[in-house]
Amino acid sequence: MKTVKILVPFKFEIDGKAVELEPGFAELPDEAVDAFVRAGYAVLIEEEPAVKVVEKPKSRSKAVK
């Protein structure tokens, strides 16, 4: 199971039962996730947190007047 963000409402069959998926977060079977992402119905949520790399600005020399 993978966590995805549903973008548009749609129906999907899981274990022989029809399930209506509404926009929001959900867990879907691995074999279905690729098809929904390619179709634009869902976006895969990475489990690792996003990291922002920040570099300190280099010190500037003061201008001579």
Side-chain angles (χ1 to χ4, degrees):
M1 299 290 273
K2 291 185 181 179
T3 304
V4 295
K5 181 177 181 183
I6 306 296
L7 301 176
V8 295
F10 64 94
K11 291 183 182 178
F12 176 62
E13 185 178 325
I14 299 176
D15 297 329
K17 297 180 182 179
V19 178
E20 284 193 41
L21 297 172
E22 296 294 325
F25 295 96
E27 285 194 4
L28 297 176
D30 295 341
E31 58 273 2
V33 170
D34 292 333
F36 294 139
V37 169
R38 277 188 259 130
Y41 292 157
V43 176
L44 185 62
I45 303 297
E46 299 294 329
E47 295 188 13
E48 297 178 17
V51 178
K52 183 177 180 182
V53 177
V54 178
E55 294 181 18
K56 290 185 177 181
K58 296 180 180 177
S59 62
R60 297 181 184 175
S61 59
K62 294 184 179 181
V64 177
K65 292 184 180 179

